[in-house]
Amino acid sequence: MMIERSGLIIWVNDIKAARNLERFGSLHYISKKMNYAVLYIHASKVEETTRSLLKLPYVKKVEKSYRNEIKTEYSSDVPDKTRFYTL
């Protein structure tokens, strides 16, 4: 049984304070150079978590990740041309 998760990209002012985001969900990554964090949460709690994150003083902006909406199943209708380029 897989739980539906959704990703949030959280732009922050302070990296040290961004470590506190673990209490909202699974903190996957913190970028020190670009000042953002990637947080995974239950898909049913996206709206309420976003509202509570925006109230924090060190959060600039919260964006929803579109990774779940990207097509990951590919079809191979095109024939493989690698056999023509072998020695």
Side-chain angles (χ1 to χ4, degrees):
M1 183 171 123
M2 291 291 293
I3 299 172
E4 281 293 317
R5 295 191 321 161
S6 182
L8 294 176
I9 291 86
I10 304 160
W11 298 91
V12 295
N13 294 324
D14 187 18
I15 294 298
K16 287 185 179 180
R19 288 188 226 147
N20 294 330
L21 295 173
E22 285 185 339
R23 62 187 171 139
F24 292 101
S26 176
L27 187 60
H28 181 70
Y29 179 73
I30 297 176
S31 172
K32 294 179 182 176
K33 185 176 182 181
M34 295 182 63
N35 293 339
Y36 73 91
V38 178
L39 182 74
Y40 285 102
I41 57 172
H42 293 288
S44 61
K45 298 182 180 180
V46 171
E47 294 298 323
E48 66 185 55
T49 306
T50 303
R51 276 181 275 154
S52 61
L53 285 170
L54 287 171
K55 292 178 184 177
L56 297 174
Y58 54 88
V59 174
K60 286 190 230 179
K61 182 170 64 169
V62 177
E63 297 177 357
K64 185 177 181 285
S65 173
Y66 295 106
R67 186 166 189 244
N68 293 342
E69 299 170 13
I70 295 174
K71 179 181 154 189
T72 57
E73 297 176 7
Y74 306 104
S75 63
S76 61
D77 295 337
V78 180
D80 187 20
K81 295 182 181 179
T82 57
R83 63 187 174 114
F84 296 116
Y85 300 113
T86 59
L87 296 176

